[in-house]
Amino acid sequence: GMNQQQINDKTKKATGFYVTPQMYAPKGVDIGDGVVDASDYIIAALNSGHPVRLPVPSVKYRVTKNLVLNGNVLSGECASPELYGSSKLKVIIEFDDVSGNAVKNINTLSTIKNIWFSQKDWSTQLNGLYLKLYAYFDDCLFTNFNGYGFYANAAPATINENPFHSVFNRCQFLRNAKHGIAIYNGANAITLRDCLSRWNGAPSYGVSPTTAGVWDGLYIDGYNADFPASSTKMESQGLLVTGGDWSYNSRYGQN
């Protein structure tokens, strides 16, 4: 009984559909106040299979569980990282008492945009991002992690770790305890465009290094890779680095 215009309108609504974590939270509960545990609501939104958007402005989601991405589209709808200093332009996912890897992409392509990922304190060992399979990241920030900002490796195919052809556009990796970016054991053809990886090798939470250390902005190691421990040593190939800023780390910018 619909005319063509009504059909077109409904089609536009369907193709533009997305969910928010707020849709899964109890009515009247502010899950973006940085206090309420938003973990289950974010995970429910990701598991819906629909694109997920996090509203603005000035939202902080407290998360007490690891976030696993599997073919998700996740957007913060906020300004690019260089404007995160403004209190009105940031969407933060802050990990509280979480260990291991804060964010992990496991089985298929995910796309993540405009989100600030951080650790609340250094009470646990936590890496910002572990890329098991390929993903696209635009204008994201990984900061203050008590581990790597981001790491990837192409381990033997038996455990299916193939982050090949992942792309990072204008992403930042700042003040992490270890390497800002670590690419081990293959992890072929990752592209870094205009990224920043600075002040890594931080001696304590949120503090920039002031003395020489052993951590770099971008660290690449295939032959001697021991993470994960493996007898298979694969040199890193096809890494593309365009522009960016790799200064002020405790050791080298790029190593």
Side-chain angles (χ1 to χ4, degrees):
M2 293 186 293
N3 61 37
Q4 187 61 50
Q5 185 59 55
Q6 290 171 319
I7 293 173
N8 292 345
D9 291 342
K10 285 187 176 293
T11 301
K12 289 179 182 178
K13 290 179 181 178
T15 55
F17 183 77
Y18 64 88
V19 299
T20 69
Q22 283 78 358
M23 296 169 65
Y24 298 87
K27 186 176 181 180
V29 175
D30 182 3
I31 65 170
D33 63 358
V35 178
V36 174
D37 187 356
S39 305
D40 290 341
Y41 313 121
I42 294 176
I43 291 170
L46 292 172
N47 289 343
S48 73
H50 297 293
V52 178
R53 292 187 185 179
L54 307 180
V56 292
S58 298
V59 176
K60 180 185 287 187
Y61 294 92
R62 174 174 170 259
V63 171
T64 62
K65 297 179 180 179
N66 308 82
L67 296 183
V68 177
L69 304 176
N70 181 12
N72 296 108
V73 176
L74 178 62
S75 173
E77 294 190 318
C78 63
S80 56
E82 64 269 18
L83 297 178
Y84 277 164
S86 168
S87 62
K88 297 181 179 179
L89 293 172
K90 53 190 175 185
V91 173
I92 304 171
I93 296 179
E94 184 177 72
F95 294 84
D96 185 4
D97 198 29
V98 178
S99 59
N101 302 300
V103 181
K104 178 169 67 173
N105 193 59
I106 55 169
N107 287 328
T108 190
L109 171 67
S110 293
T111 301
I112 299 89
K113 298 181 179 181
N114 305 111
I115 298 176
W116 181 348
F117 299 93
S118 67
Q119 187 174 4
K120 183 178 181 180
D121 56 47
W122 281 5
S123 58
T124 60
Q125 292 288 320
L126 184 66
N127 303 302
L129 170 65
Y130 169 36
L131 205 57
K132 186 174 181 180
L133 215 74
Y134 73 135
Y136 297 153
F137 282 82
D138 290 340
D139 295 305
C140 289
L141 173 63
F142 290 86
T143 186
N144 293 341
F145 285 99
N146 193 7
Y148 303 108
F150 151 56
Y151 74 96
N153 61 86
T158 52
I159 58 175
N160 190 31
E161 298 193 16
N162 299 299
F164 305 160
H165 306 295
S166 295
V167 178
F168 293 81
N169 292 312
R170 301 172 304 278
C171 291
Q172 298 189 18
F173 308 87
L174 310 178
R175 294 186 179 89
N176 300 292
K178 297 182 179 180
H179 301 307
I181 301 171
I183 296 178
Y184 290 104
N185 222 37
N188 295 344
I190 292 175
T191 296
L192 306 170
R193 295 195 185 110
D194 295 321
C195 292
L196 278 70
S197 189
R198 299 186 293 184
W199 301 297
N200 296 291
S204 57
Y205 183 85
V207 176
S208 301
T210 56
T211 59
V214 298
W215 306 107
D216 308 314
L218 170 62
Y219 178 78
I220 307 168
D221 188 351
Y223 181 75
N224 293 310
D226 57 358
F227 193 77
S230 171
S231 60
T232 303
K233 307 299 184 184
M234 297 178 286
E235 65 182 24
S236 300
Q237 299 175 342
L239 178 68
L240 176 63
V241 180
T242 303
D245 189 340
W246 313 88
S247 54
Y248 305 111
N249 299 286
S250 74
R251 187 168 61 177
Y252 303 120
Q254 299 176 357
N255 183 9

